[in-house]
Amino acid sequence: FHIVLSGGEPMTKFDLLEYAVKQTIDKGLTVSVNSTLSLATPERMKRLRKAGVEHILAPWYDLDPEKTDEITATRNSQQKVMDGIKCAVDNGIRVSVNTICTNSNTDSIYESGRLVHSLGATQFIAQRVVPPAYDRADERQHRINQDVAIKGLDELLRLKNDTGIRISTLVSYPLCLMGDLEKYADFVGRGCPTQSGHRFHMNPTGETHGCVMEDKAYGNVFEIGLREAFKRSSEWRDKSYYYEGCKGCSYLDVCQTGCRMDAFAVDGKMSGKDPLSKGKE
């Protein structure tokens, strides 16, 4: 079992974060942290490394510092993230950086990747934007088309070829979108971790979700326990959410019919069609 300690920003409660890391390691589990690293200091990074943290996933908002400040609502936030990445790397913690591929930043993915590579990051991830529960109606901001999605993946491949940095995505793309699975091999195989039974999300309050982007809850672990909460999310894992139009595809068990939350945002059905899907033919 692997525990990801995330937020919000977990370093705002640093002592609690450090305690959680130590407890996780003590129980025989592995652990990583998701953090903006904007609150990183050499002392904190040394403490986390000593506690057992080997890897941190940090976000990258935009190549433009002013747009980054607008997104984060924090002045000088890009420089804070950059300083944090270097601080973590200098203290022996491996850093991956994740950005969201949107309609407005695809042209800057390559340069963003080169920049974080120069800071010492070992992996650059550009995942597709998925409409959040609070604003699923904004198609301009929270949805990309097939051409934008492919361009984002191509920019990652160009980045890997020029720098050697590892590339990936956290949210699956339909394999039929890519077509050439040898060319896009870096993005094949992850599928949907929730449908594979490899991921379950718990809020600090104890409420649970299958996908981190899901608003449906499956019960509070402090009331019903983690085992029962996980059991209640069984529809994620019994193929109930597979899109009917993908039946008969040879890659069904690898692709799992694409992103279920993006499909849900389109027509309100968890078993709907991923808007990036081109079809099994």
Side-chain angles (χ1 to χ4, degrees), residues 38 63 66 99 138 156 168 175 188 193 195 208 214 242 274:
S38 58
L63 188 62
E66 291 185 2
T99 194
D138 189 346
L156 285 177
S168 183
L175 299 190
V188 176
Q195 290 189 90
T208 55
E214 185 179 24
Y242 277 20
D274 185 318

Side-chain angles (χ1 to χ4, degrees), residues 160-208:
K160 176 186 176 182
N161 183 66
D162 290 350
T163 67
I165 194 172
R166 292 172 56 214
I167 56 174
S168 183
T169 179
L170 296 181
V171 178
S172 63
Y173 290 77
L175 299 190
C176 57
L177 170 73
M178 295 182 272
D180 187 342
L181 301 188
E182 288 190 18
K183 175 181 178 181
Y184 295 105
D186 290 283
F187 316 110
V188 176
R190 178 179 177 84
C192 172
T194 304
Q195 290 189 90
S196 301
H198 297 157
R199 178 175 63 190
F200 199 59
H201 179 70
M202 182 169 61
N203 295 346
T205 60
E207 286 297 327
T208 55

Side-chain angles (χ1 to χ4, degrees), residues 6-243:
S6 187
E9 175 47 61
M11 288 196 197
T12 59
K13 300 285 187 180
F14 184 81
D15 290 342
L16 183 61
L17 173 63
E18 183 182 41
Y19 171 80
V21 169
K22 290 179 178 179
Q23 287 293 306
T24 302
I25 297 294
D26 186 58
K27 296 295 187 294
L29 312 177
T30 57
V31 63
S32 62
V33 175
N34 291 0
S35 167
T36 66
L37 288 172
S38 58
L39 299 178
T41 65
E43 179 192 2
R44 285 181 167 183
M45 294 301 97
K46 288 175 183 177
R47 285 169 61 181
L48 283 184
R49 185 66 189 90
K50 183 178 180 180
V53 174
E54 297 180 356
H55 176 249
I56 291 177
L57 176 66
W60 184 260
Y61 303 99
D62 198 282
L63 188 62
D64 185 334
E66 291 185 2
K67 287 185 179 180
T68 301
D69 287 353
E70 181 180 341
I71 294 170
T72 62
T74 305
R75 187 176 298 176
N76 200 32
S77 54
Q78 186 183 86
Q79 189 61 51
K80 291 177 181 177
V81 172
M82 292 170 60
D83 291 342
I85 293 172
K86 290 190 291 185
C87 184
V89 171
D90 289 345
N91 286 280
I93 297 177
R94 180 168 47 90
V95 176
S96 297
V97 177
N98 178 51
T99 194
I100 308 296
C101 180
T102 69
N103 291 309
S104 61
N105 75 345
T106 313
D107 291 334
S108 65
I109 284 178
Y110 176 82
E111 291 301 331
S112 291
R114 288 189 67 92
L115 178 55
V116 300
H117 176 258
S118 72
L119 299 174
T122 58
Q123 182 173 215
F124 189 60
I125 303 162
Q127 71 178 57
R128 61 191 285 188
V129 62
V130 176
Y134 61 82
D135 194 12
R136 289 185 172 128
D138 189 346
E139 295 190 11
R140 182 189 62 80
Q141 182 177 357
H142 298 310
R143 186 162 298 137
I144 56 175
N145 61 31
Q146 295 174 349
D147 291 338
V148 173
I150 284 295
K151 182 177 180 181
L153 297 180
D154 286 342
E155 288 297 90
L156 285 177
L157 289 176
R158 183 161 72 99
L159 174 68
K160 176 186 176 182
N161 183 66
D162 290 350
T163 67
I165 194 172
R166 292 172 56 214
I167 56 174
S168 183
T169 179
L170 296 181
V171 178
S172 63
Y173 290 77
L175 299 190
C176 57
L177 170 73
M178 295 182 272
D180 187 342
L181 301 188
E182 288 190 18
K183 175 181 178 181
Y184 295 105
D186 290 283
F187 316 110
V188 176
R190 178 179 177 84
C192 172
T194 304
Q195 290 189 90
S196 301
H198 297 157
R199 178 175 63 190
F200 199 59
H201 179 70
M202 182 169 61
N203 295 346
T205 60
E207 286 297 327
T208 55
H209 308 276
C211 175
V212 296
M213 300 175 188
E214 185 179 24
D215 42 341
K216 181 179 178 180
Y218 299 97
N220 193 299
V221 296
F222 297 123
E223 298 171 0
I224 64 173
L226 180 58
R227 186 184 299 273
E228 176 61 25
F230 185 73
K231 183 179 178 181
R232 292 183 183 184
S233 67
S234 61
E235 285 183 316
W236 272 102
R237 303 179 295 279
D238 63 10
K239 302 185 180 182
S240 294
Y241 293 159
Y242 277 20
Y243 172 55

